[in-house]
């Protein structure tokens, strides 16, 4: 079975450009999570969707960040405009809803903003 | 304020010996705990979990222990193998929607 698929795997762009990260969750999972991993802050939750609806976006750092889930099989995380401090590894994860249901992670997008 | 802490950033163990990774939490509302393993350039992979109604859960070489009164959990790997070398994250959930709060991770190195 296919796992969580993220694209691109690596993205290098200049400050001020728009960046779009993509995620395809595991088929049948109804919860989707976006995380950011940095050396300073570790793995932090940005936003959580349940049945395609954003439930908690309190981790989204600024208005420059936005996330959408137009259907059950696709989500995007957009940064506009991007800044060097946005450089990090961004992970998408999906799961069934329910206490204790493990989240399954994609391999991440390594983002470098120059 | 970190609600889940892994105070040891790294741990080195000889192959065949026991590895013990520790995790502390502060939020008494957490009632489910998970361990993830992460290799470089890959996403975290779910390893083992435990509900707050239990104090031990075992899966092959991996055992997780939970001490609710101390708000402490640990992951034991016996025997340790070089392939276990990775970063291990503990995570906690107190939410039916299974949002997780992660610790900072511990890098385990198993020497042959």
């Amino acid at each position: 079975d296919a796992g969580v698929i993220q694209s691109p795997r690596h993205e290098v762009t200049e400050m001020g450009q728009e960046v779009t990260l993509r995620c395809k969750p595991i088929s049948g999972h109804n919860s989707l999570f976006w995380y950011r991993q940095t050396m300073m802050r570790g793995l932090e939750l940005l936003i959580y969707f349940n049945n395609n609806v954003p439930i908690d976006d309190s981790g989204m750092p600024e208005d420059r960040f936005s996330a959408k889930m137009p259907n059950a099989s696709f989500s995007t995380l957009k940064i506009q405009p991007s800044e060097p401090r946005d450089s990090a590894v961004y992970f998408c994860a999906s799961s069934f809803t329910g206490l204790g249901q493990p989240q399954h992670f994609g391999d991440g997008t390594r983002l470098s903003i120059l | 304020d970190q609600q889940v802490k892994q105070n040891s950033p790294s741990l080195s163990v000889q192959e065949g010996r026991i590895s013990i990774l520790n995790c502390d939490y502060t939020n008494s509302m957490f009632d489910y705990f998970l361990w993830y393993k992460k290799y470089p350039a890959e996403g975290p992979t779910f390893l083992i979990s435990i509900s707050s109604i239990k104090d031990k859960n075992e899966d092959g070489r991996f055992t997780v222990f939970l001490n609710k009164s101390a708000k402490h959990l640990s992951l034991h790997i016996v025997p340790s193998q070089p392939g276990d070398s990775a970063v291990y994250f503990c995570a906690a959930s107190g939410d039916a929607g299974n949002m997780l709060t992660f610790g900072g991770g511990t890098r385990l190195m198993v020497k042959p």
Side-chain angles (χ1 to χ4, degrees):
Chain A
D1 288 341
V4 175
I5 299 172
Q6 291 187 246
S7 64
R9 288 298 312 275
H10 303 274
E11 174 88 14
V12 181
T13 192
E14 292 188 346
M15 175 176 147
Q17 296 296 308
E18 177 179 293
V19 173
T20 300
L21 310 182
R22 297 172 176 80
C23 175
K24 177 178 169 56
I26 291 173
S27 178
H29 282 181
N30 52 357
S31 292
L32 183 137
F33 308 82
W34 282 100
Y35 290 88
R36 178 171 68 175
Q37 185 182 30
T38 61
M39 288 293 293
M40 291 296 295
R41 300 176 67 89
L43 196 60
E44 52 180 343
L45 177 67
L46 300 178
I47 188 169
Y48 155 47
F49 291 87
N50 190 47
N51 293 323
N52 313 338
V53 176
I55 302 300
D56 189 325
D57 66 353
S58 59
M60 295 286 261
E62 300 172 34
D63 291 345
R64 299 184 295 106
F65 285 69
S66 62
K68 293 182 180 179
M69 192 164 186
N71 57 61
S73 58
F74 184 66
S75 177
T76 59
L77 178 67
K78 188 174 292 187
I79 309 173
Q80 166 65 14
S82 58
E83 296 183 3
R85 61 194 167 120
D86 302 330
S87 298
V89 181
Y90 291 81
F91 289 103
C92 175
S94 71
S95 73
F96 294 110
T97 300
L99 182 64
Q101 291 291 333
Q103 296 177 19
H104 299 263
F105 284 75
D107 285 337
T109 295
R110 181 172 293 277
L111 177 64
S112 296
I113 308 297
L114 306 177
Chain B
D1 189 26
Q2 278 190 300
Q3 296 188 66
V4 179
K5 289 185 182 180
Q6 295 176 254
N7 291 318
S8 297
S10 64
L11 174 68
S12 183
V13 170
Q14 206 67 34
E15 181 179 4
R17 298 291 189 99
I18 184 172
S19 295
I20 301 176
L21 298 107
N22 295 303
C23 179
D24 297 295
Y25 62 96
T26 57
N27 189 339
S28 58
M29 298 301 289
F30 288 144
D31 53 12
Y32 216 91
F33 303 89
L34 304 89
W35 284 93
Y36 282 80
K37 177 169 73 173
K38 184 183 181 305
Y39 293 120
E42 295 183 9
T45 302
F46 170 69
L47 198 54
I48 191 170
S49 63
I50 188 167
S51 163
S52 61
I53 63 173
K54 295 186 175 181
D55 54 18
K56 177 182 174 181
N57 188 26
E58 192 172 351
D59 184 1
R61 296 186 299 114
F62 302 91
T63 303
V64 56
F65 295 92
L66 175 62
N67 182 334
K68 281 180 292 184
S69 60
K71 293 191 177 67
H72 177 84
L73 64 154
S74 60
L75 175 67
H76 293 210
I77 306 174
V78 182
S80 301
Q81 299 173 353
D84 297 329
S85 298
V87 177
Y88 288 78
F89 293 94
C90 70
S93 174
D95 172 274
N98 68 299
M99 286 173 59
L100 296 177
T101 301
F102 281 85
T106 296
R107 182 177 301 279
L108 173 66
M109 293 163 284
V110 180
K111 298 180 180 179

